[in-house]
Amino acid sequence: MIIREIQFGSEEFRRECELRQRVLRAPIGLNLYEENLDGEKEQFHFGLFDGQGKLVACVIAVALSPTRAKIRQMAVAPDQQGKGCGRLLLESVEATLARRGLMNLSMHARKTAVGFYQALGYATSGGEFTEVGLPHLTMEKCLTAHP
Ligand SMILES: CC(C)(COP(=O)(O)OP(=O)(O)OC[C@H]1O[C@@H](n2cnc3c(N)ncnc32)[C@H](O)[C@@H]1OP(=O)(O)O)[C@@H](O)C(=O)NCCC(=O)NCCS
């Protein structure tokens, strides 16, 4: 498994969108390709690739300030879920963000995924709210410096 940053608009970005559509949008009847993704040009895209170069998982980080970032669009291919891929990707991304000075992370987590983020040290903050028709909770984590 290898983790790489994905360039907006690249062939790998096209595959990232396919994975996001398959894992995060199609199951709830939404279409990622109807969304305006232009703003994602300024965001950090990361992918976990298997030994054959297949994209297994992806996640996006958005810098909100020099020290704060928002995590979004975390998705693992259905046949690879529950095998440690999500942890592998997000922990590596956290180390990268920490090196860039982005130490305070937050996200809008689907309620069904809260346990995953808790396992990685995120804590809930505030009450439940609805996004894309699903219950969500804000979750936060303050990183410590990585070498
Ligand atoms: C949620 C998701 C990103 C987790 O990735 P994953 O590769 O399946 O998770 P991992 O195998 O790395 O699990 C890491 C830890 O989290 C736990 N975990 C994983 N998914 C969980 C869940 N939905 N609820 C509770 N705990 C969960 C695992 O038991 C594991 O715990 P451990 O390391 O202490 O044994 C992935 O399952 C996924 O893409 N789900 C569908 C889309 C989604 O919900 N995305 C998040 C939107 S906010």
Side-chain angles (χ1 to χ4, degrees):
M1 294 281 190
I2 190 165
I3 293 161
R4 278 199 295 275
E5 198 154 350
I6 294 174
Q7 298 309 311
F8 179 85
S10 65
E11 163 61 16
E12 287 185 348
F13 178 74
R14 190 188 62 72
R15 288 158 58 196
E16 176 198 316
C17 290
E18 276 176 10
L19 185 60
R20 289 161 58 190
Q21 168 62 16
R22 185 154 58 98
V23 176
L24 295 171
R25 290 294 183 261
I28 54 171
L30 296 179
N31 187 349
L32 182 76
Y33 300 101
E34 289 174 357
E35 297 175 24
N36 184 351
L37 304 182
D38 290 349
E40 295 191 351
K41 193 170 184 179
E42 319 304 330
Q43 303 176 4
F44 305 125
H45 301 253
F46 299 92
L48 174 70
F49 298 84
D50 71 11
Q52 282 71 50
K54 187 178 166 205
L55 181 65
V56 170
C58 61
V59 68
I60 300 175
V62 187
L64 302 175
S65 80
T67 57
R68 293 187 305 122
K70 180 178 175 178
I71 301 293
R72 58 184 293 267
Q73 297 281 289
M74 175 88 210
V76 177
D79 62 342
Q80 296 297 322
Q81 289 175 11
K83 298 178 180 178
C85 294
R87 178 188 281 278
L88 186 65
L89 176 60
L90 191 51
E91 287 185 342
S92 167
V93 166
E94 287 175 359
T96 299
L97 296 176
R99 284 193 294 272
R100 294 178 189 180
L102 297 162
M103 309 299 286
N104 297 300
L105 306 186
S106 63
M107 74 182 64
H108 293 175
R110 292 183 183 187
K111 202 174 174 186
T112 50
V114 162
F116 165 70
Y117 296 111
Q118 281 173 335
L120 274 83
Y122 291 79
T124 58
S125 153
E128 201 175 300
F129 56 94
T130 301
E131 259 183 26
V132 291
L134 299 174
H136 279 71
L137 286 153
T138 296
M139 298 192 80
E140 298 173 338
K141 180 175 181 178
C142 187
L143 303 178
T144 50
H146 282 72

